[in-house]
Structure formats: C-alpha cells, structure tokens
Amino acid sequence: MRRRIIIFLALILAILAIVIPLALTIHFSRERAIAAERAHMQEYANWTLLRAEQVLTDAKDVLAQVGEGDCSVGHIERMRQLAIDSGAVEEVGHYDGDRLACTGWGKVPADVVIGRGTPSATLAGGYALHLHVKPRISHAREVMVLGYRDHNVLILPQRLVDVLSDSHMILGIATRQGTLIAITGRANDGLVGQLSRQAMTGMDDTDIYASVQRGDLTAFAIADRSAIDAKLGSEMRLLLPIGLVASAILMLLILWVSRQRLSPEKELKLAIRKREFQVHYQPLIELATGYCVGAEALVRWRRPDGRWIAPDLFIPLAEQSGLILDITDHVIEQVVADLHAMLLAEQQVHVAINISARDLESGRFLDVLEREIAKAGIAPGQIWLEVTERSLINPDTARATIARARDAGHLMAIDDFGTGYSSLSLLETLPLDALKIDKCFIDAIGRDAAASVVTPHIIGMGRALKLNLIAEGVETREQDAYVRKAGVQFAQGWYYAKALPADEFMAFYRDYNRGKRSRFLSVAA
C-alpha cells in the first residue's frame, strides 16, 4: 500500500515537475514583461516631466529678465529679442493694468482690448497659467500663457511634451490639480483624468500606463498593451531554458528520492547514516526541593526539509526492523557529547535514556554506554535507564540485562507504568529503582474518569515496592499539587518545560535553579 502511494505521489510530482517550472516560467516572463513596460512608461513620464519643467523654467527666466517696462522702443525690442533667444517662448507681452499694452511685435492698437483673463491655474511663486489661448496679435496657433506681474509669455503646449520616444505611446502633461495642459495623441478621457490627478502605474484591458508628480505638474505616459507582447517574447527566450533545466533537475531528483523512499527501512537507514536524529531533553523536577535535577533524553527525527517525524511513527518501525539498536547507540553518543561538561560539573544531575525491548534482549547497548561514559569521565549513576512494560516480553532476559546495568551503577526505571501487561509479581522480582506513572493517569487527575481512580493505587503500589515515583506529563497546577501531596518524588511535563535542545536545556537548568539554596549543600552541612 505504501509503495503504491509513493509511486502515485512520485508520478504526480513528476507531472508537477514538468508543469510547474514551465508555468512559473511563463508567469515570471509575463510579470517581468509587465514590470519592464511599466518601468518604461514611468521612465518616459519622468522624461516628460523634466521636459515640461525645463520649458517652464526657461519661460520664468524670460519673465525675470524682461524687467520693468513702459512699451518704449527699447522695451519692445528687449521683449522681441528674449523671445527670439528663448527656445521655450513664442512671444513676450506687457500689461498696463489689466490691458495688454504691447508685445515683442509692437504696441497693441488702442481699439484692441485684450485683458488678463482668469487663469486656468496658479503655480508656485505667483505665476498665472492660462490654457488654450488663441493669440489676437500674432495670430499664432493655440498657446498657453504664463503670466507674472506685468508681463506674460506665450508657450506652445507641444513643447512640454516634445520627448522622443522609441515606441508608439501617448505623453501628456497636466497641472497637479488635474487640468490637462498638453497631450500628444488621443486617449481615454477617464484614464487621462485619473493619471492627471495622481502618481500611479497600472494596466487595464487596453492600456498600460504610468504617471509621476512633482511640484506643480503631473506627467503621464500611455501605451497599448500590445507593447507587452514584444517584451514577453524576449523574456520567454531568456527564462524558458532555465525552466526546462529546472524541470529536468526536479525530475531526476524525484526519481532519486522515490527510489530511496520506496522502502521505509531504507529511509530509516538513510536517516541513521546521515545522523538526522536529534536528542531533546525533558527536564525532571524534584518536587520536594523544586530543583531541576536531570532530564529524560528523547529522540527526535528531523528531516532535511525541516519536518519533524513523530517518534510514534518511526520507533515501532525501528524496533521491528532492528534499527532501534543503532538509534539507541546514536542517542547514547549524543547525550554524552551534548551534556558531558554539565554532568562533570554537576554531579547531582542525571539523564535518563530509554531502552527498547530489542536493547534489553541484546544487552549490547551497555558496552556502548560503558565506553562512552568512561571516555567522558561521567559517573554511571548519572545515567538512568528506562524500560517500558511492553519491553518486558521476555522477563528472564530483561532481568539479566537490568541486573547487569544496575551492577554497572545505573539506576533502572520502568516507563509508562500502567499501560502494559506486567504483573505485580513480575515487578517485585525485577531489580528496579523507579516507577514512572504514565501521562494518561496524570491527565485523569481532577476528572471523573476511571483512570483517576487508578492513579492513587499506582502511587501506593510504587511505595509498597519501595520505588522512586516519577509523574509524567504534568501540565497543570492542579496536577502538580496532586502529585506533590501524594508524595511523588519527581515530575516532568509541560507545566515545567517542554523537551528542549541541549543548549536550551542547560540554560533552563541554570535559570530554573538560580537563587535556590542547593539541597546538596544543605546535606553536606
């Protein structure tokens, strides 16, 4: 069943390995093409704005240079010459009050009355801007008028958008308030109005566009969406080979991984070889003193992709295949490597290691343990060993291994007590030092459940056997108070701390015990 699932998943992944890179290639190519064309539009909008600003700056310079005027011959000549010299201005005029008195062409006839009019917009610095003006003196084409005090200048609106473009696009310039000044072609009025009022980039069903604002002006650029297609082609030519190579690599990777993962045992063997197993430490609290006095070493499997595999998924497979022996060796080596400095410095601290039924049958783990702790100089009594009721299938073999472990100086505890099938007579004959009350009985504390009735009997049984009692899975203040009152010596669980990596456990140990008077110093005194 598992094999069929892996093959099916591998097939699905293979299809995805082809489709996804190609789909992403097309998607990213299109996004890059759109982004490039938007940047292109914004670039031209900026250039248009710079062009318009330059024209207005030149026009303002002319108004600044013309000085005071009285329509004398010299004054008229000066206005004419400034218009000739300027690349932005078509004509310069002078007002006498509200009436145009003269221009660079000469004096305005007395019977021709040209007033200032109401400006279309007022620019910073007191400049008046009049749009869509038809000159009555020079009869030139429609212009815009920039006025300042008693003079004005005529400017062709087209000069503001006179920007060379490398493609067909529409360029426009407007006041910051949204009044259109000049545009190079026909465009949707609603879009032009929107672009004239705010800086933005975007795309609709027919156009791609951008607008920029600075000072008194807004500039915009609009192009047909077909401009994206040309860029899309070049982006596809660039990214498609990358997508094909990515597909090929993913296909090969999926094929390799599938072959590795088709056998669960191979997967587990590979994890052992690559040392993917880590050890976390569940702090153990001595209830009478409140001290953290040790921890239980718990094996964790972290895959290369960062996923954690639950122990109840891989431990049964490891026990069934015999690979649990290698995992136990790894845990022993890791515990000594992680905590040897702490165990040497803190002689009262111990670490409990779980031993499987296979370990009890072979007893080989004791050789590994003896070698590692001898190398590190750790006292055997600092390493406790835990066996579950379910591992006592062969009591004679278990008894021999447990006795050997105790003779070596290790304390032995029976784990998950109450969930297996060991009889009281069997427990009485085994050389044990501690009994661990399973979490299911601790969870029942304070509840109207059958397990809550059993809990005090288990505690009484442990006392009768003269065993140290350890409560597993304490998670609430109520549970902590109960086991304290019941005379349980030790407890562990999330109420105190979760299982922690080695560095975090050592930090927890220091912080948890800081400021408390050591019970060992008290005993020594």
Side-chain angles (χ1 to χ4, degrees):
M1 182 67 178
R2 178 182 171 86
R3 185 180 182 86
R4 287 201 299 270
I5 291 174
I6 292 176
I7 293 173
F8 174 75
L9 290 176
L11 180 61
I12 296 297
L13 289 173
I15 295 171
L16 293 177
I18 296 172
V19 173
I20 290 178
L22 294 180
L24 288 176
T25 297
I26 295 171
H27 172 73
F28 285 130
S29 296
R30 182 167 183 78
E31 290 299 312
R32 282 169 59 92
I34 292 172
E37 190 59 27
R38 282 179 174 174
H40 190 58
M41 293 294 100
Q42 194 163 32
E43 187 176 37
Y44 270 97
N46 270 307
W47 287 346
T48 303
L49 186 58
L50 286 171
R51 172 64 178 171
E53 288 175 335
Q54 185 60 53
V55 169
L56 290 180
T57 298
D58 291 347
K60 291 174 182 178
D61 287 344
V62 169
L63 290 170
Q65 294 176 49
V66 70
E68 298 295 330
D70 55 3
C71 288
S72 63
V73 173
H75 179 213
I76 292 172
E77 176 63 26
R78 186 164 67 255
M79 288 192 295
R80 182 168 61 251
Q81 191 60 47
L82 285 169
I84 293 171
D85 293 342
S86 171
V89 170
E90 302 297 311
E91 189 175 344
V92 183
H94 172 69
Y95 284 96
D96 183 5
D98 286 333
R99 177 180 175 275
L100 183 66
C102 59
T103 71
W105 293 87
K107 291 185 178 181
V108 176
D111 60 339
V112 177
V113 179
I114 302 174
R116 291 178 183 267
T118 303
S120 305
T122 301
L123 306 184
Y127 293 90
L129 182 66
H130 302 260
L131 301 176
H132 312 299
V133 177
K134 183 68 176 176
R136 293 171 58 187
I137 301 301
S138 62
H139 302 291
R141 47 189 171 163
E142 190 175 272
V143 295
M144 55 182 279
V145 177
L146 184 67
Y148 185 70
R149 295 181 179 174
D150 291 336
H151 288 87
N152 67 11
V153 292
L154 307 187
I155 305 168
L156 290 175
Q158 291 77 14
R159 291 190 185 277
L160 278 69
V161 291
D162 187 16
V163 177
L164 293 176
S165 63
D166 59 5
S167 61
H168 176 69
M169 66 177 66
I170 297 171
L171 304 175
I173 195 80
T175 67
R176 196 178 185 91
Q177 291 73 32
T179 303
L180 184 64
I181 298 174
I183 190 168
T184 60
R186 294 187 59 82
N188 179 277
D189 291 339
L191 177 59
V192 169
Q194 191 177 10
L195 293 173
S196 298
R197 288 188 296 272
Q198 59 181 316
M200 58 186 295
T201 59
M203 182 174 65
D204 57 24
D205 293 339
T206 57
D207 299 308
I208 185 165
Y209 46 79
S211 62
V212 294
Q213 284 186 331
R214 189 166 54 243
D216 295 313
L217 301 176
T218 302
F220 57 85
I222 306 171
D224 191 90
R225 280 186 58 159
S226 60
I228 297 172
D229 297 336
K231 286 186 170 59
L232 179 60
S234 81
E235 292 292 341
M236 285 288 290
R237 285 191 292 274
L238 173 66
L239 294 180
L240 188 57
I242 299 175
L244 293 173
V245 170
S247 293
I249 292 173
L250 285 174
M251 284 286 292
L252 292 173
L253 184 61
I254 290 167
L255 178 61
W256 181 81
V257 170
S258 298
R259 293 185 63 182
Q260 293 293 320
R261 301 310 185 194
L262 279 174
S263 167
E265 284 188 34
K266 285 185 178 178
E267 187 173 2
L268 201 56
K269 283 181 181 177
L270 182 63
I272 293 171
R273 188 169 69 249
K274 295 173 67 176
R275 301 184 74 82
E276 293 178 3
F277 295 96
Q278 299 179 14
V279 179
H280 286 190
Y281 299 88
Q282 176 85 59
L284 183 70
I285 307 301
E286 186 178 50
L287 296 176
T289 64
Y291 272 85
C292 174
V293 293
E296 178 183 1
L298 301 172
V299 65
R300 298 288 185 260
W301 184 5
R302 186 177 188 180
R303 301 310 314 275
D305 61 4
R307 289 183 302 116
W308 291 95
I309 308 299
D312 56 357
L313 295 179
F314 69 84
I315 292 295
L317 175 61
E319 290 178 336
Q320 181 183 355
S321 63
L323 293 172
I324 191 67
L325 303 176
D326 295 319
I327 293 177
T328 300
D329 291 350
H330 174 73
V331 170
I332 291 171
E333 293 168 1
Q334 192 65 55
V335 167
V336 174
D338 285 344
L339 302 182
H340 74 276
M342 178 185 185
L343 294 173
L344 289 175
E346 305 284 347
Q347 295 291 318
Q348 71 276 12
V349 174
H350 75 268
V351 180
I353 298 175
N354 290 283
I355 303 302
S356 72
R358 287 289 188 102
D359 292 312
L360 280 178
E361 288 176 11
S362 71
R364 62 182 289 277
F365 74 93
L366 287 171
D367 298 327
V368 177
L369 181 57
E370 183 180 358
R371 182 183 68 244
E372 292 298 320
I373 65 174
K375 245 185 342 183
I378 297 170
Q382 291 183 273
I383 304 296
W384 290 17
L385 301 174
E386 296 183 3
V387 296
T388 64
E389 285 189 273
R390 290 180 294 275
S391 66
L392 303 177
I393 299 173
N394 189 334
D396 292 333
T397 303
R399 186 179 296 108
T401 303
I402 291 173
R404 182 182 162 198
R406 293 184 83 245
D407 289 342
H410 305 292
L411 275 71
M412 297 296 305
I414 184 166
D415 195 6
D416 299 334
F417 183 77
T419 62
Y421 52 80
S422 60
S423 65
L424 179 58
S425 62
L426 175 60
L427 293 182
E428 286 179 314
T429 62
L430 289 173
L432 298 172
D433 300 287
L435 181 151
K436 298 190 74 171
I437 306 169
D438 187 75
K439 182 179 184 298
C440 67
F441 298 106
I442 301 301
D443 286 342
I445 292 172
R447 300 179 186 176
D448 186 14
S452 66
V453 179
V454 176
T455 307
H457 293 289
I458 293 176
I459 294 173
M461 188 183 301
R463 284 178 177 171
L465 293 172
K466 295 183 172 55
L467 299 176
N468 287 314
L469 294 170
I470 304 169
E472 291 187 291
V474 176
E475 296 182 356
T476 67
R477 183 186 297 273
E478 182 183 14
Q479 292 167 356
D480 173 75
Y482 180 93
V483 294
R484 286 177 186 274
K485 186 176 180 181
V488 174
Q489 288 91 343
F490 304 98
Q492 62 187 73
W494 287 10
Y495 180 72
Y496 314 103
K498 297 182 179 181
L500 304 168
D503 290 345
E504 293 181 27
F505 165 66
M506 288 186 284
F508 170 86
Y509 174 83
R510 289 191 301 269
D511 295 342
Y512 196 83
N513 291 345
R514 182 180 291 124
K516 297 180 180 178
R517 206 161 61 105
S518 172
R519 66 187 180 91
F520 300 100
L521 291 178
S522 298
V523 171

